[in-house]
Amino acid sequence: MSRGLIVVDVQNDFCEGGSVPVAGGARIATAIADLVRESRGRDYQYVVATRDHHIDPGSHFSDHPDFQDSFPVHCVAGEEGGEFHPHFAPAVTGGHVDAVFFKGAHSASKSGFEGADTQGTSLADWLRARGVEDVDVVGIATDHCVRATALDAVAAGFRARVRLDYSVGVAPHTTAAALDDFRQAGVAVSGEAPTS
């Protein structure tokens, strides 16, 4: 049995200075990079990362966003905002991340399980092929893409845990609602969310 780490959307547009910034994003990028370097091969047999990778996601981009289903333009394929944050990117380029899964090219996709790697392999299939049964989910944002990824992990048959000490949420009320969703779905939660 193998445990995997799923790092969700640690990208420039979701950190300070980006088009949809989450307070504490840059700090959590550094913390996750340290976690990946220190724990890959010890706590985690595999580490993967997800990336918002929008080409034409339709109504997901809006001039009048509701910040639930629609957002300002962000993480456009090929643009700087969609790249991994520089605090996290060295963990990817340094070989500590085994695969990257791109999501949301033509949709409002939030879950990493809706993404695929460069060969077109889905995240669930990639993990199953390597015998992964347990996954920890970290990243940005607890109440959006981390939430969707963790819930889809359980729906796909994995045992999932969200590590709050390596995740950051957009707002207290939506993060609290996500924690309720985790409990109801059987997603374990560990750690305390960092203060901004």
Side-chain angles (χ1 to χ4, degrees), residues 33-144:
D34 291 342
L35 173 68
V36 168
R37 283 190 292 266
E38 294 166 5
S39 62
R40 186 183 178 279
R42 184 189 68 196
D43 301 322
Y44 302 109
Q45 284 69 47
Y46 299 99
V47 176
V48 301
T50 71
R51 277 178 62 173
D52 252 15
H53 189 72
H54 296 306
I55 297 170
D56 182 15
S59 61
H60 187 53
F61 284 173
S62 174
D63 292 331
H64 306 285
D66 62 14
F67 293 94
Q68 286 298 317
D69 298 310
S70 60
F71 296 85
V73 174
H74 63 278
C75 297
V76 173
E79 295 189 5
E80 186 64 25
E83 297 299 318
F84 287 121
H85 189 275
H87 294 181
F88 175 66
V92 180
T93 57
H96 300 287
V97 173
D98 297 291
V100 176
F101 293 83
F102 300 87
K103 60 188 178 67
H106 299 281
S107 72
S109 172
K110 289 186 177 181
S111 169
F113 284 88
E114 297 176 84
D117 66 9
T118 54
Q119 285 74 46
T121 303
S122 72
L123 176 54
D125 287 345
W126 192 96
L127 293 169
R128 288 191 192 108
R130 287 154 182 82
V132 175
E133 296 180 8
D134 296 86
V135 295
D136 282 358
V137 185
V138 301
I140 307 172
T142 310
D143 39 353
H144 289 280

